[in-house]
């Protein structure tokens, strides 16, 4: 059963992701990995209390540049379960509309943390895409030109992630659209 975040996002939209969503393990791995980096770094520079459990203060927030939205993830429950050598059974996300454009512009020259987070999310997407490719081809055929637009866009996104952020499209007529963004 897929989950979908409506477009445009008005207000807040909660989404509970669980193991029935095939992206679940990749998403948990990405969010917990990013949170672990943030906790380790904050411990290194001395911004975390040495008393009590090391937790992030509030949810992690990811800005979505395809529309004015922010995705929040409270990673503390994920880390708490993983810390007991177990695996979470759900992850709560909240998509929120952002009333104003982000203060940090997109750049083709990301800083180190942006590259780290981007690489972690790219790996999560690549894993999810490759794990579902056989089902996509069974359902829609092996000729991706005949796939629904969202899957064409996913294939191009996978292509860019797999080639270090550069699209390697050999068909000059290939196009894809998703949520108002066209490649």
């Amino acid at each position: 059963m897929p989950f979908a975040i409506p477009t445009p996002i008005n207000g807040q939209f909660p989404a509970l992701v669980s193991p029935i969503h095939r992206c679940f393990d990749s998403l948990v791995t990405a969010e917990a990995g990013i949170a672990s980096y943030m906790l380790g770094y904050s411990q290194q520079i001395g911004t975390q209390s040495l008393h009590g459990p090391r937790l992030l203060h509030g949810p992690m927030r990811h800005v979505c540049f395809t529309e004015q939205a922010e995705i929040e993830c409270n990673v503390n429950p994920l880390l708490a379960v993983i810390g007991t050598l177990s695996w979470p059974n759900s992850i709560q996300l909240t998509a929120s509309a952002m009333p104003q454009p982000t203060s940090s512009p997109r750049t083709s020259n990301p800083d180190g943390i942006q590259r780290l987070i981007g690489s972690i999310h790219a790996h999560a997407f690549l894993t999810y895409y490759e794990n579902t490719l056989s089902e996509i081809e069974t359902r829609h055929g092996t000729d991706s030109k005949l796939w629904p637009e969202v899957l064409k866009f996913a294939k191009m996104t996978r292509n860019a992630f797999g080639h270090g952020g550069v699209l390697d499209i050999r068909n000059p007529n290939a196009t894809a659209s998703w949520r108002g963004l066209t490649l």
Side-chain angles (χ1 to χ4, degrees):
M1 162 181 270
F3 69 94
I5 296 174
T7 186
I9 296 173
N10 294 316
Q12 288 191 328
F13 179 81
L16 185 68
V17 185
S18 68
I20 64 169
H21 303 101
R22 284 174 283 175
C23 65
F24 179 73
D25 285 343
S26 296
L27 183 61
V28 169
T29 301
E31 293 300 295
I34 293 166
S36 297
Y37 163 76
M38 293 170 62
L39 286 168
Y41 180 73
S42 63
Q43 182 70 24
Q44 178 184 353
I45 62 172
T47 59
Q48 285 286 344
S49 168
L50 297 177
H51 308 289
R54 294 181 296 179
L55 299 174
L56 294 174
H57 302 288
M60 283 195 328
R61 293 179 175 86
H62 304 288
V63 176
C64 175
F65 287 110
T66 59
E67 56 187 282
Q68 291 305 121
E70 183 176 68
I71 308 295
E72 295 180 352
C73 176
N74 184 358
V75 293
N76 290 328
L78 300 178
L79 296 177
V81 171
I82 292 169
T84 65
L85 304 179
S86 192
W87 196 248
N89 58 19
S90 66
I91 184 171
Q92 180 68 49
L93 304 176
T94 304
S96 303
M98 293 174 56
Q100 299 176 15
T102 60
S103 59
S104 59
R106 284 187 279 184
T107 176
S108 61
N109 200 12
D111 65 30
I113 293 175
Q114 289 170 326
R115 289 178 68 178
L116 174 69
I117 292 171
S119 293
I120 290 170
H121 282 136
H123 183 269
F125 185 87
L126 281 165
T127 301
Y128 171 70
Y129 181 89
E130 293 300 327
N131 286 340
T132 58
L133 182 58
S134 63
E135 183 178 333
I136 292 170
E137 290 177 339
T138 298
R139 190 176 287 181
H140 300 287
T142 57
D143 185 355
S144 62
K145 293 183 293 267
L146 303 175
W147 291 359
E149 283 298 306
V150 68
L151 294 178
K152 290 179 191 177
F153 193 91
K155 182 178 180 181
M156 286 187 173
T157 302
R158 181 261 171 258
N159 178 300
F161 285 153
H163 294 277
V166 177
L167 282 170
D168 180 23
I169 300 174
R170 300 187 181 153
N171 176 356
N173 299 319
T175 63
S177 297
W178 175 73
R179 295 178 83 98
L181 184 63
T182 300
L183 297 173

